[in-house]
Amino acid sequence: MSENISVIPLDGLTPDSGFQLNQLLTDTVEDGASIGFLPPLAEAEAAEYWQGVHGPGVLLWVAMEGEAIVGTVQLHLALKPNGAHRAELAKLMVHPAHRRKGIAGLLIDAAEQAAVAHGRTLIVLDTREGDPSNLLYLSRGYIEAGRIPDFAISAEGGLDTTVLYYKKL
């Protein structure tokens, strides 16, 4: 399933990686993912997002199939002294044409391993209620902590519930 996929950290953007990440974000949002953006996502908005990703405490990985970026995930290390034990898993994306290959699991593994390497013992995340990602996180040992109704605006203009998860490492 994921034999041809490699997961690598991305410390900065090149023109090619920026272009590919823009496409990944745009295609993922167009496919209905709730990752902070609404369709149609303009290329300039996607590019602006990726330009601002790298910063203190933010680790980024990409899943590569050959030379193509087919997925990504971020780990946001809490930087405040009382949160030095935790991190947030964020913006897990797998291109719609590359799902069901184990890529999300590989990306989660990379983020969790880095969390441990950075002394983190707790990971938190949130995802839209009803999305397939809920089953993924539960299958990876994440525990539901609660739900917040009317958390995010949907592409159709309604309000969606988000589900909060955590995992002790």
Side-chain angles (χ1 to χ4, degrees):
M1 287 188 32
S2 57
E3 311 84 39
N4 299 324
I5 306 295
S6 59
V7 174
I8 59 170
L10 196 62
D11 296 325
L13 296 179
T14 65
D16 182 56
S17 66
F19 174 78
Q20 288 194 56
L21 286 168
N22 291 349
Q23 278 304 130
L24 174 63
L25 178 58
T26 301
D27 292 349
T28 303
V29 169
E30 290 297 324
D31 192 56
S34 178
I35 52 176
F37 300 91
L38 294 171
L41 179 59
E43 185 177 331
E45 185 179 358
E48 182 179 348
Y49 170 73
W50 289 113
Q51 290 298 322
V53 164
H54 285 98
V58 178
L59 307 175
L60 173 68
W61 293 266
V62 292
M64 304 291 298
E65 188 172 57
E67 298 297 313
I69 295 176
V70 296
T72 187
V73 70
Q74 296 170 38
L75 187 69
H76 297 188
L77 303 172
L79 299 178
K80 296 194 183 330
N82 74 343
H85 66 291
R86 73 176 182 263
E88 179 181 358
L89 192 72
K91 300 291 188 271
L92 175 62
M93 292 177 249
V94 175
H95 191 279
H98 294 275
R99 294 189 181 144
R100 312 297 302 168
K101 296 181 181 179
I103 296 169
L106 293 173
L107 289 163
I108 292 170
D109 288 345
E112 289 178 352
Q113 289 165 12
V116 170
H118 283 85
R120 289 349 197 231
T121 57
L122 179 69
I123 295 183
V124 297
L125 64 89
D126 72 278
T127 192
R128 182 172 53 194
E129 179 182 57
D131 281 359
S133 55
N134 289 275
L135 296 175
L136 169 68
Y137 295 127
L138 290 169
S139 76
R140 304 289 305 194
Y142 286 80
I143 298 167
E144 182 179 328
R147 295 166 187 254
I148 302 172
D150 301 340
F151 187 79
I153 299 171
S154 71
E156 295 79 29
L159 295 172
D160 292 329
T161 296
T162 197
V163 184
L164 306 170
Y165 290 96
Y166 72 93
K167 182 177 185 179
K168 291 186 176 187
L169 302 174

